[in-house]
Amino acid sequence: MLDLPSKKQDDDDACLFLHVLTGRFRCLRLPVLHDHIIIGAFDGLLVLGDRDQPPNFARVFNPLTDDMLYFAASFHKPLANIVSTAVTGGSHSRLVLWGYGMVIWADPTSDEFTEEDIGKSIIRMGTFQDNVYAVDLRSRVFKFVPPAEQRNGGAVVLIAQVPLDVHVYSDEEEDNIGLYVHLVESAGELLPIYHLGRALKVFRVDVERKSLEEVKSLGGCHALFLAPRGVGKSLSDPNPPKPFLPRPVASVAMKRKQRTSAAATAATEVDADEPSQALLPLDDYSGDVCAALTARYGRSASAQHRHLLATAAAIGSILADDGHSLTAESYLPAVVSALRAAGPSDPAAASALASLLVILIPHISSLPPASASESASSLADFLASPDASKLPTGTVRSVVKSLGHLALLLEAAADCGAVAAPLEALLAASVDQRAKVRRCAQESVEKLFAYLERSGCGKKASSAAVDLFEKHISSVRSLAKLDADASEAKETEAVHMLGAMAVLVPHLSKKARNTVFSGARRLLSARFSPLTRHVLRLMEALLKHLKVENVESELENFISLLLAYLPYDEKKPDDTIIAALQLMRSCLAKLAGHSKLWTKALPSAFEAVSGYLILDRKCSEDIAKLLIECIYSHVDQSILLTNESQPDAGDSSDGAAVKSICLSINKRLKKCPAPPLPDNVLKIVLALFLKLGECSYIFMKDILLTLSRLGTKIHKEPHLKKVEECIGAAIVAMGPDKIHSLLPISFDEDWFTCSNTWLVPILNKYVYGASLQHFLEYIVPLAKSLRDASSRAKKPRKCKELQAWSDQLWNLLPAFCRYPSDVYQNFGSLSKLLVEMLKCDRCLYKSACKGLQQLIDGTRRLTSSDQDVEIPAEISALFTSLEANNLSCVSLQRCSKKDARKSMKVLASHSVDLLCTFADEFLDSSEKRAHLKDALRSLAQLSGSANICNLFLSLVKRFGLEDTPLEPENLECQTNEVDGKEEESSDATAEINNKRSLLMELISTLAEAANEDALDLFFGFIKSSLLNNIKSCDSRALFALSIILKEHHGYSLTQLDEIMMLLHGIKPDSNNAVLEGQLVCYKYLLVHMIKVNEESTSKKAFLILNELILALKSKKENRRIAYDVLLAISTSLRSSESNNGDSDLQRLFTMVMGYLSSPSPHIVSGAIAALSLLIYNDANFCMEVPNLIPSVLVLLQNKAIEIIKASLGFVKVLVTSLHPEKLLSLQADIMTGILPWSSFTKHHFKGKVVLILEILIRKCGFDAVNLVTPEKYKEFVRDVEEGREGNHNPADGAEPEANDPEHPTPKRRKWGDSNAEPGQEETPKKEFFVKGDRKPHFGGARNHNDKASGGKGDRTHFRPKSNAQSGNSQNYRGSKSQGRDTRPRNGVFKRTPNRGTRQSAHSPRFKKARTAAT
């Protein structure tokens, strides 16, 4: 494994490996490394430890086969202390570790590591002939002696050392810095190697003489590969063509780079380690196999390829002599015959023949039955021979793969016996000790079983698989009679057999599945063994295909075995516990409806795995999820509810099971030493409360009391929140009345103390579907008693505390008004309480208003058809720690729509009186007014429009406003009088206007529920106020009118003429609130008209749009309001519920574009500013509007300065907002439009062009921009690019013009007046910003010495730039400090350092404009 970056940069699991024998690299995905720590590596195996906190169980992992060897022992020493690792295979697998003078070892089944303090400076370990050897710095070699072979000595025995006359190690420690020691096996010998600098000493271990002999040469066919960390590997060529001299590493690398791609491809295909091979192009060579092989491998220098070609040529020559064609079908019998003849006695020939066979087989689509049967039988006999196990893994794997292909060509339907021998051989290979052979055989067997099942031979194939299964099962049962070596070998075979059977389960017959299930069940025990994990996997596969009727009794016995395995034990891997629990859940799901076994199994499972729930490990979370799934699957609340009223409700089988589960959980909670409580236990408690519902009062009382006791000890918010969720779930399930019976909130009048007040905030959040009667009879008296006690308390602190407790209880009213279950029984009493709370001087009116609104809206929601979705989703959102949807409350489930409609009638019967009461408080108290609005709105919807009219008329009469016209009148005769009327200044008039304003505010609250008659009444009152030019009422009148227009678009269109004339007659002057109200009314009208899209309203729509455009060109505050209104219009049209939302928005764009043809530059620039804002809000949509962009770009040819500025701003917004892909199609038109203005430095045109070019170059690239640039501007664009890359100002070229003494620059006006037109107060500043824009630098400078003599806008302090820059004098900018950027007349920024001052650190770059229009 190499610590080098993989080519798969986006794959965190990718690891790079080097196959030293072939020099090939291979990238493997190893997600298993996320959960493990790499302790060490040895001979291609990785020694891993669990990443979880101790105990860290040991693992040995093969990255090429994904096989994992699990050790029951855990690392009890710090992992950082482990220096060297070694692993032995064969019949005695053993892991040996060394670190700092300590050697430890363990077998896979060992309970713990055995350790021994050897006190030796061992620095490297290795294996040789299944033994572990170690070497130290003093040139000594030690052998690890297994425990069974130890006599009087220890675990490490000295077997050899360097003669005294050979000096390798220096006694001086500093002389050995950089010394590396290697231990390598080469050509059947063990070689210790010492490497210091360029010196290299190689020794051979002589075990008999117990000495080390120095080696001077390895021969011509051997090479050693060494790494600085002591990793070594020996390579040897079994058939070297000739001796060769060592060459430098560089030359070897160059030779590898010069190999042809054909040779590399050939090496990939012939290598049996690769799972797939590319087919030979036989069609290109008329089916000639030999010619195709020669074309592919002829240029390869590999000995394997040369042997392959020689074999193919020899067989081809024989076939040609016999008159056969050189096709794959002709080669097959000859290759099979030659393979059997070669056998294990000639491994090289067998390897070449097997490679040739696996290349030929995919090209054979059919064979004569006799030929196919004969070839398959021959290969099966070859694999069944005892000597086949001596062949290399690649050879056997190729034969297995070829046999699997051949077996699919047999006619199984006609002759099932022809498949018997191949099937038996493949089944035997599927349990082979070699992982690659085993995996290939299992893939072939799976395909063969599917073929046989289709051919009608499935039963015979299943019988053969069962025979193999029973053979290995019987051998595993007799392990006690065997010695340790044989026992381990049999267990390994059984493991492979279980893996093979798991693959075949889908293709087995019913009888075979039942047999395998019965046999595998007996292999599971209460202790962990090497077979446990594989048995669980096999049983999981079987359960997916078994029918419960056939194995019901077997399943019950199997569940008992699983329960026996579940109890906590450190030696049991976590994944096996999870797998066993998953199997138990699957078994119980199978038995659902057939047996009540869950009532016994589930409580036992809770008790067994409760120890895992308190662990801080990943398995704890998985176990908790599985237990919660079991609760939701098997605990039936309806069955428990039927027995709820009975005294023995908990004694039924279901009740007893739930009771036992709750006892186990409560016992685990009580054992928690201190907060925080285990999260996984709390999740289960939460799920149980919500699942049991009202029954939780019977079964979970003790758990609730335990939580309340432990919760008082928790002070950290995250941990406390989870406990509060559990108690909140209990409130939702039981109801607050039963909660208070267990945890009463009581007040001790003698001591002025209140118990369980911590429960009040939880009730406020989690009360749903409660009883109003409980609030009235329990909470209200308690709150009143606390209030009374606060007046009797002598200490101010105690008085304040009692008052706070009382307020908290009163504030529970909105919570009890969330979907109460007894509205129509108790609302009469509640309404009296609401009036009492409303008139209270303290803040109780807030709870009264919120509670009434919650009650009305919630009851109305219960009558709707969406209540089954909305309300459960609302409750589910309360419990974030539980991944559950559509949780419900039992009391809400019992509330029918009939009861909800009855409650609505009761609410409506009290609504008129409450509406009058709340309206009086609304008008009389300014403090309560904001909180009363929502309640009034809800009451108005219940009361009806007639009652609203009566209420409003009575209030008008009460305020003495009877003379106000309350019906809409024609405005034609009154519009001329609007500007002439003035407001009276007397106190009486001010009071009347104040009352009028209050009624306007009330109208805005009631307008949503009004019908046409009430709307006429309201509109007449609003109209009279606006016509009388009552300035103090205008803003509220317009706000009330906007609510009418928003909620009643049909009415607004019928009164469109009057509303337009009314709005048009309003002159906002300097009142921004009036202007905002006016524009908001215009917004709703324009949206309605665009959606209706009638010809009769189009003219008025343009009038409204004209007002918006004019507002965009007015002063700063007005522009801001106009921008917001225009954006709101765009958003409303885009989010329209109708299907023509896009067309409505496109219609708005088209209307704005109509103003581009106006003769007034002021209007045109305003329209461009509006378009800039709209495309900035939705840049992609502008591409869908026909002719939008060309219509604006053509305006760059206009002569009006205001239009040019707005157009350049539009282009800047366009290039900033659009994606580069869309800009590519527009950049030619953009460049054509903006580049002519690059020579105009006045009005910042050149700076704007440079800024646009910089954005284009950054997004599209310089080459793309330069491609569409006209020839005369290419140099300018190139300067912009150079300035952008080198921080150079591309507009500096205009500097000499500004400094020309013959053309002095005239004095410049203040920037705010530089572009002002007649009738306009000032040139508007930009109001919406493009990301990354900075403030623009303005022309003009003011001498800092005159700073105190005038303000910033004093024009007398401005002077010509030519004078300011002459004589290398100091330059200043406006009222800014010294050393800032200065700007000459031509608009070019220039950095001018000041004498005696610090130079500014600002970058001399052009600044983006602040609006789209300028």
Side-chain angles (χ1 to χ4, degrees):
M1 181 175 177
L2 301 180
D3 189 13
L4 295 175
S6 168
K7 293 182 179 179
K8 301 179 180 180
Q9 298 291 341
D10 56 341
D11 194 347
D12 295 338
D13 300 334
C15 299
L16 196 63
F17 289 84
L18 169 65
H19 189 212
V20 182
L21 293 174
T22 60
R24 293 172 51 229
F25 291 89
R26 186 167 182 181
C27 185
L28 301 176
R29 292 187 71 256
L30 301 178
V32 70
L33 297 184
H34 285 298
D35 301 325
H36 294 84
I37 302 172
I38 299 180
I39 308 300
F42 188 81
D43 278 356
L45 303 177
L46 300 180
V47 180
L48 308 177
D50 283 340
R51 191 175 290 275
D52 294 334
Q53 295 181 357
N56 302 99
F57 292 100
R59 307 283 188 261
V60 176
F61 177 63
N62 187 339
L64 298 179
T65 63
D66 286 339
D67 287 337
M68 182 86 78
L69 179 60
Y70 293 84
F71 284 75
S74 61
F75 297 108
H76 52 277
K77 293 289 185 182
L79 302 181
N81 292 346
I82 298 175
V83 177
S84 188
T85 60
V87 182
T88 62
S91 59
H92 295 285
S93 297
R94 188 171 291 108
L95 175 61
V96 184
L97 310 172
W98 177 84
Y100 299 114
M102 186 72 68
V103 63
I104 60 176
W105 67 90
D107 298 332
T109 57
S110 301
D111 295 337
E112 60 183 6
F113 278 94
T114 305
E115 62 181 36
E116 181 175 341
D117 188 357
I118 59 176
K120 300 177 178 66
S121 56
I122 293 175
I123 59 173
R124 191 65 54 204
M125 289 199 303
T127 59
F128 177 63
Q129 297 178 352
D130 291 336
N131 290 312
V132 179
Y133 294 87
V135 62
D136 68 352
L137 286 174
R138 298 185 179 274
S139 309
R140 296 179 297 179
V141 178
F142 301 89
K143 176 183 178 182
F144 171 77
V145 181
E149 301 177 8
Q150 294 180 11
R151 297 295 181 261
N152 298 327
V156 179
V157 178
L158 177 65
I159 62 168
Q161 61 183 356
V162 176
L164 297 177
D165 56 343
V166 179
H167 298 282
V168 177
Y169 175 84
S170 174
D171 293 333
E172 299 296 333
E173 184 175 354
E174 59 271 12
D175 295 339
N176 296 290
I177 297 177
L179 175 66
Y180 297 102
V181 183
H182 311 267
L183 196 60
V184 180
E185 179 186 359
S186 177
E189 296 179 332
L190 187 62
L191 305 179
I193 303 171
Y194 295 84
H195 181 206
L196 179 60
R198 295 188 177 183
L200 186 69
K201 288 186 179 292
V202 182
F203 298 89
R204 179 187 296 108
V205 177
D206 189 343
V207 180
E208 295 181 358
R209 299 180 181 180
K210 294 185 178 182
S211 66
L212 296 178
E213 300 176 358
E214 189 170 0
V215 178
K216 298 297 184 181
S217 174
L218 298 176
C221 58
H222 297 275
L224 295 176
F225 286 80
L226 307 176
R229 295 180 61 187
V231 179
K233 187 69 179 177
S234 171
L235 297 185
S236 62
D237 190 347
N239 299 304
K242 59 180 180 179
F244 60 92
L245 297 175
R247 289 177 292 179
V249 176
S251 63
V252 176
M254 289 298 294
K255 184 171 182 64
R256 277 189 184 167
K257 291 183 179 180
Q258 292 171 0
R259 292 179 179 174
T260 61
S261 59
T265 305
T268 303
E269 293 168 352
V270 175
D271 185 8
D273 294 343
E274 293 295 332
S276 61
Q277 300 173 357
L279 294 177
L280 285 174
L282 294 182
D283 294 338
D284 297 341
Y285 300 95
S286 303
D288 191 336
V289 173
C290 189
L293 287 172
T294 303
R296 176 169 290 185
Y297 304 123
R299 301 173 62 184
S300 174
S302 171
Q304 294 178 346
H305 297 158
R306 295 200 301 270
H307 205 160
L308 174 65
L309 292 176
T311 302
I315 295 176
S317 177
I318 296 173
L319 292 175
D321 293 341
D322 293 341
H324 297 289
S325 59
L326 301 182
T327 60
E329 290 81 0
S330 302
Y331 264 89
L332 178 62
V335 174
V336 172
S337 178
L339 180 62
R340 288 204 61 184
S345 59
D346 191 353
S351 177
L353 289 167
S355 299
L356 179 59
L357 185 62
V358 83
I359 292 174
L360 293 175
I361 284 294
H363 296 279
I364 302 175
S365 57
S366 62
L367 283 174
S371 176
S373 177
E374 181 181 358
S375 298
S377 300
S378 298
L379 292 179
D381 294 340
F382 178 82
L383 291 175
S385 62
D387 296 333
S389 59
K390 300 178 182 179
L391 289 171
T393 300
T395 302
V396 179
R397 180 181 179 275
S398 297
V399 175
V400 168
K401 188 172 184 180
S402 302
L403 179 59
H405 279 284
L406 271 178
L408 297 178
L409 300 178
L410 298 174
E411 294 184 359
D415 184 10
C416 289
V419 192
L423 178 60
E424 183 178 354
L426 290 174
L427 286 172
S430 64
V431 296
D432 194 273
Q433 298 293 331
R434 292 162 289 194
K436 295 179 182 179
V437 174
R438 185 170 64 250
R439 183 178 299 176
C440 180
Q442 290 176 3
E443 292 176 357
S444 299
V445 167
E446 185 178 8
K447 295 177 183 177
L448 182 57
F449 262 72
Y451 169 66
L452 295 177
E453 190 177 6
R454 295 193 302 268
S455 302
C457 300
K459 291 184 178 181
K460 291 187 178 181
S462 299
S463 178
V466 170
D467 291 342
L468 175 69
F469 176 77
E470 291 180 342
K471 171 186 173 183
H472 288 282
I473 289 297
S474 60
S475 64
V476 171
R477 292 172 186 166
S478 60
L479 290 179
K481 303 177 182 178
L482 302 175
D483 57 12
D485 296 344
S487 174
E488 186 174 353
K490 292 296 182 182
E491 281 187 346
T492 304
E493 291 181 0
V495 166
H496 299 331
M497 176 272 302
L498 293 172
M501 293 306 299
V503 174
L504 297 178
V505 164
H507 308 289
L508 295 178
S509 62
K510 296 180 181 178
K511 181 179 179 181
R513 290 172 187 160
N514 295 338
T515 303
V516 173
F517 183 84
S518 301
R521 178 180 60 82
R522 298 187 184 95
L523 296 177
L524 190 64
S525 63
R527 298 183 60 187
F528 174 75
S529 70
L531 298 179
T532 301
R533 182 177 286 102
H534 303 278
V535 171
L536 295 175
R537 290 176 183 173
L538 176 59
M539 299 302 284
E540 182 181 5
L542 285 167
L543 279 177
K544 296 178 181 179
H545 299 85
L546 286 175
K547 291 186 177 180
V548 65
E549 296 84 1
N550 302 328
V551 289
E552 183 173 352
S553 60
E554 298 280 353
L555 283 175
E556 294 178 358
N557 295 331
F558 182 56
I559 290 176
S560 301
L561 292 173
L562 291 173
L563 291 174
Y565 182 76
L566 285 177
Y568 177 75
D569 188 351
E570 290 185 357
K571 298 178 182 179
K572 296 176 183 177
D574 295 344
D575 61 321
T576 60
I577 298 296
I578 296 173
L581 195 58
Q582 286 176 334
L583 276 176
M584 190 203 72
R585 180 197 61 182
S586 301
C587 291
L588 292 178
K590 283 276 185 182
L591 292 172
H594 295 79
S595 172
K596 279 280 188 177
L597 186 60
W598 75 268
T599 58
K600 299 179 180 179
L602 207 52
S604 301
F606 268 87
E607 181 68 26
V609 301
S610 60
Y612 290 95
L613 295 175
I614 62 175
L615 300 178
D616 188 14
R617 299 211 300 249
K618 177 65 170 63
C619 69
S620 303
E621 183 178 351
D622 296 334
I623 290 173
K625 288 181 180 179
L626 289 171
L627 293 177
I628 292 173
E629 290 177 5
C630 291
I631 290 172
Y632 281 118
S633 300
H634 300 288
V635 177
D636 191 347
Q637 182 183 354
S638 60
I639 296 177
L640 298 173
L641 284 173
T642 57
N643 301 324
E644 181 183 2
S645 59
Q646 301 177 7
D648 58 345
D651 297 335
S652 62
S653 61
D654 295 66
V658 174
K659 186 176 181 180
S660 178
I661 292 172
C662 294
L663 286 174
S664 298
I665 295 176
N666 192 34
K667 182 169 62 175
R668 183 55 59 184
L669 283 174
K670 289 181 178 179
K671 287 184 178 180
C672 294
L677 301 178
D679 292 348
N680 298 307
V681 178
L682 294 179
K683 286 182 181 179
I684 296 176
V685 172
L686 180 61
L688 271 174
F689 273 123
L690 296 174
K691 181 62 178 177
L692 292 176
E694 292 178 333
C695 296
S696 59
Y697 180 73
I698 300 174
F699 300 104
M700 302 185 70
K701 291 180 182 178
D702 295 337
I703 293 178
L704 179 60
L705 295 175
T706 302
L707 287 174
S708 63
R709 185 177 65 256
L710 295 176
T712 57
K713 302 178 182 179
I714 301 175
H715 304 290
K716 293 185 178 180
E717 183 63 27
H719 306 305
L720 185 61
K721 181 181 178 182
K722 295 175 182 178
V723 178
E724 289 180 352
E725 276 194 11
C726 291
I727 298 176
I731 295 172
V732 172
M734 300 181 187
D737 51 345
K738 294 180 179 178
I739 292 292
H740 288 145
S741 66
L742 298 174
L743 299 170
I745 302 176
S746 57
F747 174 60
D748 188 342
E749 295 186 0
D750 297 332
W751 295 94
F752 284 175
T753 58
C754 193
S755 63
N756 294 325
T757 54
W758 57 267
L759 189 60
V760 176
I762 304 178
L763 289 168
N764 200 7
K765 182 178 180 181
Y766 291 99
V767 169
Y768 275 80
S771 169
L772 291 177
Q773 182 179 0
H774 180 72
F775 179 81
L776 294 171
E777 296 178 356
Y778 184 85
I779 302 295
V780 172
L782 184 60
K784 289 182 178 179
S785 63
L786 286 169
R787 182 183 60 187
D788 296 340
S790 66
S791 61
R792 301 196 306 268
K794 297 180 180 180
K795 295 182 178 181
R797 180 178 178 183
K798 177 58 70 173
C799 177
K800 187 179 295 185
E801 185 180 32
L802 292 173
Q803 191 66 53
W805 288 343
S806 176
D807 291 343
Q808 287 182 9
L809 292 174
W810 284 114
N811 291 336
L812 287 177
L813 176 59
F816 278 84
C817 289
R818 283 196 291 257
Y819 316 111
S821 57
D822 57 347
V823 175
Y824 60 90
Q825 296 99 329
N826 295 289
F827 185 72
S829 302
L830 181 64
S831 63
K832 298 177 182 178
L833 179 64
L834 290 172
V835 174
E836 179 184 344
M837 295 174 66
L838 183 65
K839 296 182 178 181
C840 182
D841 294 335
R842 293 172 31 249
C843 296
L844 300 184
Y845 65 89
K846 296 180 182 179
S847 298
C849 297
K850 188 176 180 181
L852 180 59
Q853 179 203 354
Q854 179 71 51
L855 183 62
I856 296 173
D857 295 345
T859 307
R860 181 181 291 109
R861 186 179 298 178
L862 287 174
T863 61
S864 66
S865 58
D866 297 333
Q867 60 140 342
D868 297 334
V869 178
E870 294 179 357
I871 299 177
E874 183 179 344
I875 298 176
S876 301
L878 297 173
F879 306 103
T880 56
S881 60
L882 189 66
E883 298 177 0
N885 297 319
N886 297 326
L887 297 176
S888 60
C889 181
V890 177
S891 58
L892 293 179
Q893 292 177 345
R894 293 179 178 176
C895 182
S896 63
K897 290 186 178 181
K898 182 179 179 181
D899 294 336
R901 287 192 289 269
K902 189 184 298 185
S903 298
M904 287 297 295
K905 291 181 181 179
V906 173
L907 291 173
S909 64
H910 293 80
S911 63
V912 178
D913 295 336
L914 288 175
L915 180 64
C916 295
T917 303
F918 275 65
D920 290 341
E921 290 294 325
F922 180 87
L923 298 173
D924 295 340
S925 174
S926 58
E927 180 185 2
K928 301 178 182 179
R929 195 168 297 143
H931 299 278
L932 289 168
K933 287 184 178 181
D934 292 333
L936 279 171
R937 192 175 294 110
S938 298
L939 286 171
Q941 293 175 349
L942 278 178
S943 301
S945 188
N947 293 318
I948 293 175
C949 291
N950 295 333
L951 172 65
F952 184 75
L953 290 174
S954 65
L955 292 175
V956 170
K957 184 177 180 180
R958 170 183 164 186
F959 285 161
L961 301 175
E962 299 93 334
D963 56 342
T964 302
L966 299 180
E967 295 295 333
E969 299 179 1
N970 193 347
L971 300 180
E972 293 181 358
C973 60
Q974 303 181 28
T975 53
N976 295 327
E977 302 176 5
V978 174
D979 295 332
K981 294 185 179 180
E982 296 181 356
E983 183 181 353
E984 299 180 6
S985 58
S986 63
D987 295 339
T989 304
E991 184 178 355
I992 291 295
N993 291 338
N994 184 37
K995 294 178 180 179
R996 193 185 300 270
S997 298
L998 290 178
L999 288 179
M1000 292 294 180
E1001 195 168 353
L1002 183 63
I1003 289 174
S1004 64
T1005 304
L1006 304 178
E1008 183 178 348
N1011 63 2
E1012 187 171 354
D1013 294 335
L1015 290 175
D1016 287 339
L1017 195 65
F1018 292 159
F1019 182 61
F1021 189 82
I1022 294 170
K1023 181 182 62 177
S1024 64
S1025 176
L1026 293 175
L1027 290 176
N1028 290 327
N1029 198 20
I1030 304 175
K1031 299 295 184 181
S1032 60
C1033 299
D1034 282 353
S1035 60
R1036 293 187 179 182
L1038 288 172
F1039 178 72
L1041 179 60
S1042 69
I1043 298 298
I1044 295 176
L1045 299 180
K1046 176 184 177 182
E1047 302 295 339
H1048 304 279
H1049 57 87
Y1051 181 83
S1052 63
L1053 293 177
T1054 58
Q1055 303 290 335
L1056 182 60
D1057 293 337
E1058 291 193 40
I1059 295 173
M1060 287 291 297
M1061 295 181 69
L1062 186 65
L1063 292 174
H1064 188 68
I1066 297 174
K1067 302 300 181 185
D1069 296 333
S1070 60
N1071 192 338
N1072 292 330
V1074 174
L1075 176 64
E1076 183 176 2
Q1078 183 185 26
L1079 293 182
V1080 169
C1081 292
Y1082 279 143
K1083 175 186 74 174
Y1084 292 122
L1085 285 175
L1086 182 59
V1087 170
H1088 297 332
M1089 286 188 281
I1090 291 177
K1091 289 182 178 180
V1092 171
N1093 192 23
E1094 294 180 355
E1095 186 177 355
S1096 58
T1097 61
S1098 61
K1099 183 177 180 181
K1100 298 180 179 62
F1102 276 103
L1103 291 176
I1104 293 175
L1105 197 56
N1106 189 70
E1107 293 292 330
L1108 289 173
I1109 291 175
L1110 289 176
L1112 289 174
K1113 300 297 292 183
S1114 60
K1115 60 183 180 179
K1116 178 178 179 179
E1117 294 80 5
N1118 297 350
R1119 288 202 312 271
R1120 187 181 300 277
I1121 298 172
Y1123 281 142
D1124 294 339
V1125 170
L1126 191 59
L1127 284 176
I1129 293 173
S1130 173
T1131 303
S1132 299
L1133 295 177
R1134 168 63 85 180
S1135 60
S1136 174
E1137 296 180 358
S1138 60
N1139 296 326
N1140 59 345
D1142 289 346
S1143 61
D1144 291 340
L1145 185 58
Q1146 185 171 336
R1147 199 173 299 119
L1148 174 64
F1149 272 91
T1150 305
M1151 292 173 64
V1152 178
M1153 289 169 58
Y1155 287 89
L1156 298 179
S1157 58
S1158 172
S1160 169
H1162 191 66
I1163 295 296
V1164 174
S1165 63
I1168 298 174
L1171 291 174
S1172 302
L1173 180 67
L1174 291 174
I1175 68 169
Y1176 183 71
N1177 188 46
D1178 194 354
N1180 294 325
F1181 187 76
C1182 71
M1183 303 294 293
E1184 303 175 15
V1185 181
N1187 301 321
L1188 169 60
I1189 297 174
S1191 299
V1192 179
L1193 292 179
V1194 75
L1195 294 176
L1196 287 169
Q1197 303 174 12
N1198 201 292
K1199 297 295 180 66
I1201 295 175
E1202 192 173 3
I1203 295 178
I1204 301 304
K1205 291 174 65 177
S1207 300
L1208 289 175
F1210 174 89
V1211 175
K1212 185 196 69 174
V1213 175
L1214 181 68
V1215 299
T1216 302
S1217 305
L1218 279 182
H1219 291 291
E1221 296 80 6
K1222 296 183 178 180
L1223 275 177
L1224 290 174
S1225 59
L1226 299 173
Q1227 60 180 354
D1229 296 334
I1230 293 174
M1231 297 293 287
T1232 303
I1234 67 173
L1235 284 176
W1237 297 101
S1238 61
S1239 58
F1240 291 82
T1241 56
K1242 195 173 182 180
H1243 307 295
H1244 314 298
F1245 288 167
K1246 186 172 183 177
K1248 293 177 183 293
V1249 172
V1250 170
L1251 178 60
I1252 294 171
L1253 285 175
E1254 287 182 348
I1255 299 174
L1256 278 175
I1257 293 173
R1258 185 180 70 248
K1259 284 192 167 186
C1260 303
F1262 174 74
D1263 294 337
V1265 173
N1266 190 51
L1267 186 64
V1268 297
T1269 303
E1271 192 64 32
K1272 61 184 294 187
Y1273 298 110
K1274 284 187 178 292
E1275 184 176 355
F1276 173 76
V1277 174
R1278 191 176 297 107
D1279 291 342
V1280 172
E1281 169 64 9
E1282 292 175 356
R1284 177 175 166 272
E1285 293 181 353
N1287 201 20
H1288 166 68
N1289 196 332
D1292 285 345
E1295 180 83 20
E1297 179 182 348
N1299 294 332
D1300 188 359
E1302 297 181 3
H1303 300 86
T1305 305
K1307 291 184 178 180
R1308 300 188 62 180
R1309 294 180 295 172
K1310 186 172 65 175
W1311 179 83
D1313 300 328
S1314 61
N1315 296 316
E1317 293 182 3
Q1320 187 176 352
E1321 295 181 10
E1322 61 176 339
T1323 301
K1325 293 184 179 180
K1326 300 297 182 178
E1327 287 310 311
F1328 79 97
F1329 300 86
V1330 178
K1331 186 177 180 182
D1333 283 4
R1334 305 175 185 175
K1335 294 183 179 180
H1337 290 270
F1338 309 133
R1342 184 162 62 97
N1343 195 321
H1344 75 289
N1345 296 324
D1346 299 332
K1347 184 174 182 179
S1349 61
K1352 180 178 179 180
D1354 193 349
R1355 189 174 299 178
T1356 59
H1357 295 287
F1358 285 83
R1359 60 179 179 176
K1361 288 290 183 180
S1362 57
N1363 298 333
Q1365 296 182 6
S1366 61
N1368 201 16
S1369 63
Q1370 293 179 339
N1371 298 325
Y1372 308 100
R1373 175 175 174 256
S1375 60
K1376 302 296 181 181
S1377 61
Q1378 303 180 30
R1380 304 290 293 183
D1381 294 342
T1382 61
R1383 187 168 190 166
R1385 180 176 179 271
N1386 58 2
V1388 179
F1389 287 99
K1390 181 180 180 182
R1391 177 69 65 184
T1392 306
N1394 295 310
R1395 297 177 182 177
T1397 61
R1398 179 177 60 86
Q1399 187 174 353
S1400 173
H1402 287 275
S1403 174
R1405 293 177 57 84
F1406 284 96
K1407 312 302 178 185
K1408 294 184 181 180
R1410 297 182 62 186
T1411 67
T1414 56

